[in-house]
Amino acid sequence: MTDQLGITVTNHILSQQDRHAGATGAFTRLLSEIIMAAKIISSEVNKAGLVDILGSTGRRNVQGETVKKLDEFAHGLMVDRLYRSGHVAILGSEEDADPIEPPRGVETGEYVVMFDPLDGSSNIDANVSIGTIFSILRKRSSGPECDMSDMLQPGTRQVAAGYVLYGSSTMMVYSTGNGVSGFTLDPSVGEFLLSHPEISIPARGKIVSANMGYWHYWDENLKNYLRYLRQPGPERPVYSLRYIGSLVADFHRTLLYGGVFLYPADRKDPKKPYGKLRLLYECNPMSMLCEQAGGKASTGDCRVLEVEPTELHQRVPLIIGSPEDVDEAVAFISGQRNQ
Ligand code: AHM
Ligand code: MG
C-alpha cells in the first residue's frame, strides 16, 4: 500500500483547504455535513428490506414514527445537514420543484448546493446500487437574498462536485477542481478512507452504456454510432454493453474502466426531445468529475459544463466518458461520421 493508507476524506478536504490562502473553513464544514449525510444514508440503504423503509409514506415504524420512503428521507437529511453547516445560501434538490429557502433564523452563507439525494431510487427494491450526487457553487447575486441567478449557473462555475455510491461498498468520489479522489467507507471505523487517489479515466474504453430499449426513439446518426461499436475494427474490439439504469453506478464504472455512457436526446415525448437527466444536479457534477479525471462530457452540441441553464430541473442529453470515445460519439451524432 502507499503512504496514503489511512487518509480520511476529512484529512483530504483539510489538505485541499490548506492550498487556498484565506480559506475560512466554511467549505470544509459544508463538505463535512455532506459526508455525515452520506454515512447516515448509507446506513439506511444497508437496512433497506430489514426495516420497512422501502414502501410508501404514511405508515409508522416500530418507534411509532412515520415511515418515509428512502429518497424522501435522503432529501430531508441533506437539507437539514447542509443548512446546519451555516454556510449555505440556497439549495436545489431533485425532490423539490422549487429552490429550498433557508429555514427561518438559520445562519446562512455563500454556497449554493444542488443535489439529487438518491439517484436511481427505482432500483432500491432490487438491491441495485444507487447514489447521492452534489454540485457546489458560490452565490452569484449580491445582497442577502437569493434569486434564480444563483441556481441557474453553468457547470463551469462549480467549485466542487461529487457523488456517493451505495454499492457493494459505499464510496465517495469528489473534486474541488484539482483532480478526482475516491474514498471507501470502512464500516468498522465509520470513516471514508482514501482508496482511489488521483482517478484518471482511460483515454478509450471498450464499454458502451445506454438504455438500448429506446432504440426506436433515437435518430439515425446515433444508431449508426451504436452499429459501428458492434462491428469489430482493425484497431478496436467490439464494445461490451453495460447498463445498470443508475447513473451513479454507470458513471462510476465508466470513470474507472473507460468507455462511454449515453443518455441521448430521444423522441419518447415528441414535445420534449431532450433526454432524461437533469443538468444542474446530475449532468453538471458528473461532467466536472469526468473532465477533472481527463474525460469529456457533451450534449452532442456542446460541452455540458458550458450550457447556460434556463430552468431548475432542465434536462439535457448526456454523452460522457473517455475522451476518444466521447469525441467519436459526438462525430457520429452530429453527422460528421457515419461509419
Ligand atoms: P431518478 O433521478 O428519478 O432516479 O432518474 C435518474 C435515473 C438515472 O440514475 C439513470 O441513469 C436513469 O434514470 C435511467 O433511466 P431509464 O430507466 O430511462 O434508462
Ligand atoms: Mg436522479
Side-chain angles (χ1 to χ4, degrees):
M1 283 303 258
T2 68
D3 57 0
Q4 292 173 317
L5 177 70
I7 294 182
T8 68
V9 65
T10 310
N11 296 147
H12 195 264
I13 292 164
L14 286 169
S15 73
Q16 302 279 312
Q17 178 187 313
D18 291 344
R19 290 168 182 237
H20 295 97
T24 60
F27 182 67
T28 303
R29 179 83 208 278
L30 191 66
L31 280 173
S32 302
E33 292 297 342
I34 294 176
I35 293 162
M36 194 60 207
K39 289 180 189 172
I40 298 170
I41 297 168
S42 176
S43 153
E44 292 301 312
V45 168
N46 288 337
K47 283 189 277 190
L50 276 177
V51 291
D52 196 7
I53 49 178
L54 298 183
S56 58
T57 54
R59 283 175 282 156
R60 290 183 178 271
N61 64 15
V62 283
Q63 283 90 33
E65 296 157 342
T66 303
V67 172
K68 285 191 173 176
K69 282 198 292 184
L70 207 41
D71 41 9
E72 289 178 24
F73 169 81
H75 165 83
L77 182 70
M78 287 287 283
V79 172
D80 191 45
R81 301 289 329 185
L82 283 164
Y83 273 125
R84 188 184 292 227
S85 74
H87 298 295
V88 169
I90 193 132
L91 298 173
S93 164
E94 184 189 311
E95 293 289 325
D96 200 318
D98 300 311
I100 305 161
E101 306 276 349
R104 188 181 295 222
V106 111
E107 199 178 326
T108 56
E110 63 170 312
Y111 291 104
V112 175
V113 186
M114 314 293 296
F115 60 93
D116 185 349
L118 214 54
D119 182 70
S121 51
S122 66
N123 290 307
I124 296 172
D125 289 353
N127 215 343
V128 170
S129 299
I130 49 182
T132 299
I133 311 172
F134 60 90
S135 160
I136 304 178
L137 304 119
R138 279 208 174 80
K139 182 173 172 339
R140 203 182 198 181
S141 59
S142 53
E145 305 293 319
C146 286
D147 59 35
M148 280 314 279
S149 72
D150 296 313
M151 317 292 289
L152 303 181
Q153 302 192 51
T156 46
R157 296 179 63 92
Q158 293 174 107
V159 293
Y163 59 81
V164 184
L165 171 62
Y166 312 105
S168 44
S169 57
T170 297
M171 276 198 75
M172 179 168 174
V173 174
Y174 89 106
S175 174
T176 54
N178 185 34
V180 182
S181 309
F183 301 81
T184 302
L185 182 63
D186 180 342
S188 63
V189 292
E191 285 282 7
F192 282 99
L193 300 176
L194 183 62
S195 52
H196 296 65
E198 294 165 32
I199 295 174
S200 166
I201 191 168
R204 179 180 278 281
K206 45 185 181 183
I207 297 174
V208 57
S209 186
N211 187 337
M212 300 296 274
Y214 300 143
W215 181 266
H216 290 287
Y217 299 115
W218 290 339
D219 75 20
E220 211 46 39
N221 289 348
L222 175 63
K223 289 182 190 174
N224 281 337
Y225 173 58
L226 295 165
R227 287 187 191 106
Y228 162 78
L229 294 184
R230 295 201 298 227
Q231 299 294 325
E235 291 145 29
R236 208 179 35 77
V238 167
Y239 274 46
S240 290
L241 173 65
R242 298 280 183 275
Y243 189 72
I244 298 166
S246 196
L247 175 64
V248 177
D250 278 314
F251 177 73
H252 186 66
R253 183 202 53 247
T254 305
L255 191 63
L256 296 186
Y257 296 173
V260 60
F261 170 90
L262 303 105
Y263 206 116
D266 59 45
R267 291 189 303 275
K268 284 202 290 291
D269 177 353
K271 288 191 285 283
K272 291 189 203 149
Y274 303 131
K276 174 181 183 186
L277 299 176
R278 270 60 55 108
L279 174 63
L280 294 176
Y281 44 80
E282 292 176 328
C283 301
N284 270 346
M286 294 317 200
S287 299
M288 177 176 178
L289 291 164
C290 194
E291 289 196 5
Q292 283 292 318
K296 289 192 172 181
S298 171
T299 63
D301 289 330
C302 68
R303 191 175 162 221
V304 171
L305 294 180
E306 289 177 4
V307 174
E308 283 291 339
T310 53
E311 289 172 39
L312 184 54
H313 299 284
Q314 181 173 345
R315 299 170 193 268
V316 290
L318 179 65
I319 300 132
I320 190 166
S322 294
E324 291 177 17
D325 286 302
V326 172
D327 283 345
E328 204 165 61
V330 170
F332 273 88
I333 289 167
S334 63
Q336 288 165 37
R337 275 184 71 174
N338 61 13
Q339 56 181 334

